[in-house]
Amino acid sequence: MPDFGISEFSSIAVTTGKPKITKINNIGNRGDYQFFKDYYLPLRTAIKGLFIHKRHISYLFDVARKQKESSKKINFEKVAETLKIGNQVKI
């Protein structure tokens, strides 16, 4: 049985008809997880490091700046900025 995340599960749950079957087949036929193809792996690891090692939010921006691809830098910085803003909001 393939592993799938919450977003995939909810996507299947709310879809009906042929699109639902297509989504299930796509998940069932995909290959195993390959970490070297994971676009956001360095950023996810850094986010975990924020909590595990009690690092400052600037650590995420450092990780973003170290990326070689410019599109990756931009996308990582957007995520870091979103997390920074989210931490400042008090509910």
Side-chain angles (χ1 to χ4, degrees), residues 5-85:
I6 293 171
S7 62
E8 292 168 325
F9 174 78
S10 60
S11 176
I12 291 170
V14 298
T15 308
T16 59
K18 279 202 175 248
K20 184 173 194 162
I21 294 169
T22 302
K23 286 182 186 207
I24 291 170
N25 286 335
N26 288 341
I27 291 172
N29 294 330
R30 72 178 174 206
D32 291 335
Y33 171 73
Q34 298 173 341
F35 72 92
F36 55 88
K37 289 185 178 181
D38 190 345
Y39 185 84
Y40 285 104
L41 180 64
L43 188 62
R44 266 200 312 279
T45 305
I47 291 170
K48 289 177 187 175
L50 287 179
F51 299 101
I52 294 171
H53 304 293
K54 296 184 172 46
R55 292 188 169 135
H56 191 265
I57 192 81
S58 62
Y59 177 66
L60 294 182
F61 290 99
D62 292 339
V63 170
R65 282 186 213 105
K66 290 178 183 175
Q67 299 307 308
K68 292 179 181 157
E69 296 175 38
S70 62
S71 64
K72 216 177 207 186
K73 280 183 188 180
I74 293 167
N75 291 335
F76 281 24
E77 285 179 357
K78 285 179 185 177
V79 172
E81 188 63 37
T82 302
L83 285 171
K84 180 180 174 184
I85 292 169

